[in-house]
Amino acid sequence: MKNIIYPLFFLVALASCEKELDFQYHNVEPQLVIEGTTTDDGTRVSVTYTTPMDMPMNDTRITDATVTLTDLTNGISTKLSPDSKGYFTDNTPGVDGHEYRLDVSRDGKDYRSESLMRHKVDILGLEFQWIKMPYDYVAVLQITFTDSDTTGDNYWVRLYRNGEPYKWSLVTDNLADNGIINEVIMTSRKDIEAEDEKDVLLDGDEIRVEVIPVSLEMLDYLQAIQSDSNGPRMFAGDYCLGYYLAAEVSQSTIIFRPDEMTEFK
């Protein structure tokens, strides 16, 4: 995300006219990026700047901002302080059903975003199986979890390989069957010599799965990232990039054992 510079405005008028458009995106002024979450473990917020395309990655976090979290349900506000890694944090767990607002101020500019903390799901099972593709067998991970009683629910499924981000997918409740969702994610092919390094799974690798309920707006935002396109603006006030998400996170782990896997039916 840090090396992608989103134009502030994108407008093409008079579509019938043919004209070469030259966008100088390599030299766009760095934009503020706010990435915040409130979960069962508390709140963590990262404040950084985008990196120009022709410059080395700079992930230095900004620590001179003012960051405040307000529980709009009970009216309690908490000022967050940066930790040793530059994250603004607070250890107070989020509360299911409460609405939260994140406020960030820096250099005379203000940014704010609100999020409802949705109820966590139950992960009922994880299972690796082989699926036959024209080019090879591929390991697929089936994730079974509960869906809420309401309609229009959306979920962000994240996979971590030995503690590092691996893959993620987006799921809507139109896939639910009697309150149960089965999400299948393709991972590593059997012939690891022919597989991309970023996808390879080895015997004994630990896969941690997180399932996070998200709003429709957050779903649209993540879908835009998947397709390298512009998504909804997630912060009100002055312009910035990023998101704020309050959600209870469900977690479960599975060990990759290729010799013990059966074929997917």
Side-chain angles (χ1 to χ4, degrees):
M1 175 178 181
K2 296 294 299 304
N3 273 332
I4 300 174
I5 307 301
Y6 293 92
L8 303 184
F9 302 98
F10 185 85
L11 178 62
V12 178
L14 302 177
S16 60
C17 298
E18 293 186 5
K19 181 179 181 181
E20 182 177 343
L21 300 178
D22 183 17
F23 291 100
Q24 300 298 322
Y25 60 88
H26 286 272
N27 299 315
V28 172
E29 181 180 353
Q31 302 296 319
L32 194 71
V33 181
I34 304 171
E35 297 169 291
T37 57
T38 297
T39 69
D40 321 52
D41 296 325
T43 299
R44 188 171 81 160
V45 180
S46 170
V47 183
T48 57
Y49 274 108
T50 54
T51 302
M53 294 285 290
D54 56 352
M55 298 291 290
M57 177 72 75
N58 180 9
D59 58 0
T60 303
R61 296 184 180 88
I62 296 166
T63 58
D64 62 351
T66 299
V67 181
T68 304
L69 180 70
T70 301
D71 184 332
L72 298 176
T73 303
N74 62 25
I76 297 176
S77 293
T78 304
K79 185 177 179 180
L80 279 60
S81 300
D83 63 13
S84 60
K85 295 182 179 180
Y87 289 100
F88 289 86
T89 63
D90 179 72
N91 294 328
T92 305
V95 179
D96 179 20
H98 283 213
E99 182 116 16
Y100 293 90
R101 186 183 71 230
L102 181 68
D103 290 278
V104 178
S105 298
R106 187 175 188 270
D107 289 342
K109 296 183 178 181
D110 300 306
Y111 318 89
R112 63 186 181 278
S113 183
E114 298 179 4
S115 181
L116 172 68
M117 192 160 196
R118 289 166 169 78
H119 184 64
K120 69 167 28 176
V121 306
D122 293 323
I123 299 178
L124 303 178
L126 303 176
E127 183 181 10
F128 271 112
Q129 292 181 287
W130 293 113
I131 184 171
K132 183 68 173 69
M133 303 296 288
Y135 52 88
D136 194 5
Y137 279 93
V138 176
V140 295
L141 177 59
Q142 180 170 285
I143 305 149
T144 304
F145 60 93
T146 57
D147 177 42
S148 74
D149 295 334
T150 60
T151 58
D153 297 305
N154 311 291
Y155 302 97
W156 186 11
V157 180
R158 304 193 300 201
L159 273 55
Y160 294 81
R161 177 182 54 190
N162 300 321
E164 297 297 326
Y166 178 52
K167 291 179 178 290
W168 56 276
S169 69
L170 302 172
V171 185
T172 61
D173 65 359
N174 61 358
L175 299 176
D177 183 12
N178 293 321
I180 303 296
I181 292 177
N182 288 292
E183 170 68 349
V184 175
I185 298 178
M186 297 181 67
T187 62
S188 175
R189 59 190 295 177
K190 182 174 285 189
D191 180 9
I192 61 175
E193 297 296 327
E195 182 62 280
D196 290 337
E197 184 178 353
K198 65 181 179 62
D199 293 326
V200 168
L201 289 182
L202 302 176
D203 188 16
D205 280 351
E206 180 186 80
I207 298 297
R208 185 176 85 249
V209 177
E210 295 182 348
V211 181
I212 306 168
V214 299
S215 66
L216 179 59
E217 183 182 36
M218 185 68 183
L219 183 78
D220 290 342
Y221 174 83
L222 293 169
Q223 286 176 331
I225 292 176
Q226 279 187 327
S227 58
D228 293 330
S229 63
N230 289 332
R233 182 179 172 184
M234 302 298 284
F235 279 84
D238 291 293
Y239 182 80
C240 72
L241 301 174
Y243 67 91
Y244 169 62
L245 172 64
E248 292 193 272
V249 181
S250 302
Q251 300 186 51
S252 187
T253 60
I254 185 172
I255 303 300
F256 183 66
R257 298 295 187 193
D259 293 340
E260 301 174 5
M261 291 160 48
T262 59
E263 188 170 345
F264 182 80
K265 302 297 184 181

